[in-house]
Amino acid sequence: MTASIARVFAARAGARLPRAVPAFAASRRFISIKPMYTAEVTATGGRNGHAVSSDNVLDVGLTFPKSLGGPGLPGKTNPEQLFAAGYAACFQGAMGLAAKGLKVDLPESNTVTAAVHIGQHPEGGFGLGVELRVSVPGVDKATVQKVVDEAHGICPYSRATRGNVEVKLVVV
């Protein structure tokens, strides 16, 4: 059935078919946010391949970790390390916003370390687990915990993982 015939049938049924849009734009129409920035990375070769960002700033070789049966080639990274780096950095930024709202001064020496675990999921296949270890020297743990809890509600990575990935928050 041609697109014009499909539109006639849809109109008779009281429905509207969307106009044809480029494939890339079509994939974006389901985003529930108003994008302020879009990062785009293309991977080739899977876990033993290569990933490069559209602006060529990120250009990394990938290797399957030895603990998962892969070669674990030196000088190459894996998706879990990349996810850990992104989550740790994003969460630290969210902590800054949370601290500002709570009127807490965070020292520049604060750190967030993300440990991303991959393993067998109880329902089959594989799953991820994340532990975020937060260190804020010179600030009491109760105050840091308030900042961390608030940041967990702000951070886009925390929102994306909520209900899908177990995330453990640890103030050290």
Side-chain angles (χ1 to χ4, degrees):
M1 178 182 322
T2 66
S4 59
I5 294 172
R7 287 191 194 289
V8 170
F9 283 120
R12 286 184 186 160
R16 274 189 52 190
L17 290 178
R19 294 212 177 268
V21 293
F24 188 73
S27 68
R28 291 183 176 223
R29 74 177 123 164
F30 296 107
I31 293 177
S32 62
I33 62 165
K34 182 179 177 185
M36 298 165 61
Y37 169 77
T38 300
E40 186 176 295
V41 175
T42 301
T44 56
R47 287 183 159 272
N48 285 312
H50 195 87
V52 63
S53 61
S54 58
D55 61 4
N56 294 311
V57 171
L58 179 73
D59 190 343
V60 295
L62 302 170
T63 188
F64 205 57
K66 281 185 180 182
S67 63
L68 295 175
L73 299 174
K76 295 189 177 195
T77 189
N78 60 64
E80 291 72 35
Q81 287 179 332
L82 294 170
F83 184 66
Y87 201 162
C90 187
F91 196 84
Q92 193 171 34
M95 282 177 50
L97 290 174
K100 191 173 189 178
L102 295 169
K103 300 190 185 328
V104 173
D105 289 326
L106 293 181
E108 287 186 30
S109 59
N110 77 82
T111 62
V112 176
T113 301
V116 173
H117 311 280
I118 185 170
Q120 291 183 335
H121 193 279
E123 296 174 6
F126 295 92
L128 298 176
V130 176
E131 181 177 306
L132 297 176
R133 292 185 301 275
V134 178
S135 174
V136 184
V139 180
D140 67 275
K141 282 190 175 187
T143 301
V144 174
Q145 189 65 57
K146 287 179 186 174
V147 171
V148 165
D149 292 342
E150 186 73 18
H152 195 46
I154 296 170
C155 177
Y157 279 69
S158 291
R159 286 177 183 245
T161 59
R162 193 165 291 119
N164 298 306
V165 174
E166 183 179 348
V167 177
K168 182 178 179 183
L169 304 172
V170 180
V171 175
V172 295

